[in-house]
Amino acid sequence: MLISLIFSILCSGRTLIAFFKLVPFNKRDVLCSLIIAVPSILIMLFYDKFDYRGMGPVLVGYAVIVSTMLGKAVSMLFSSLNRTLKITIFVGALMFFLSDLSLLFYQFASGGIVARAFCLFLYYPSCIVLAITPIISIYEKKKLEKAV
């Protein structure tokens, strides 16, 4: 499980870096990320049904990355990026965040079949949505070049 978590951290970190390449880091990113990360971490720390099996610090670190990814996606909604691209990124990041949250409950709080189903229902579509964002970005750039 630890290897899978490390791989997830690397992939989510890479996605976050791609978001920052689209729209450089700004103060709104910090605010949006904190609004998401603080409650997420507080739930992780104070919900007494969690049993992290010694992986608590790594999971909290991952929660910061995934919260920042969603925070950046929220922040990008207010940027000058193409509307379709902004919405696609936001929807993909939100689905990914919610799938990871449900996975957390499934794996570490005996969340049961509902948490597992919710995770699977959201995870794979979120990966597809996030994977098509570069295609949308390229398409929109080409469309702008033709208009000029």
Side-chain angles (χ1 to χ4, degrees), residues 46-97:
F46 295 110
Y47 183 65
D48 63 352
K49 300 222 187 293
F50 283 126
D51 175 12
Y52 297 121
R53 295 167 265 188
M55 295 188 347
V58 177
L59 291 167
V60 169
Y62 180 62
V64 169
I65 292 170
V66 175
S67 296
T68 303
M69 190 171 93
L70 179 57
K72 180 62 176 175
V74 170
S75 176
M76 284 194 287
L77 288 172
F78 302 97
S79 73
S80 62
L81 284 177
N82 170 274
R83 185 174 187 260
T84 303
L85 182 60
K86 292 189 292 192
I87 292 172
T88 304
I89 289 170
F90 171 72
V91 168
L94 179 62
M95 290 169 55
F96 191 84
F97 177 85

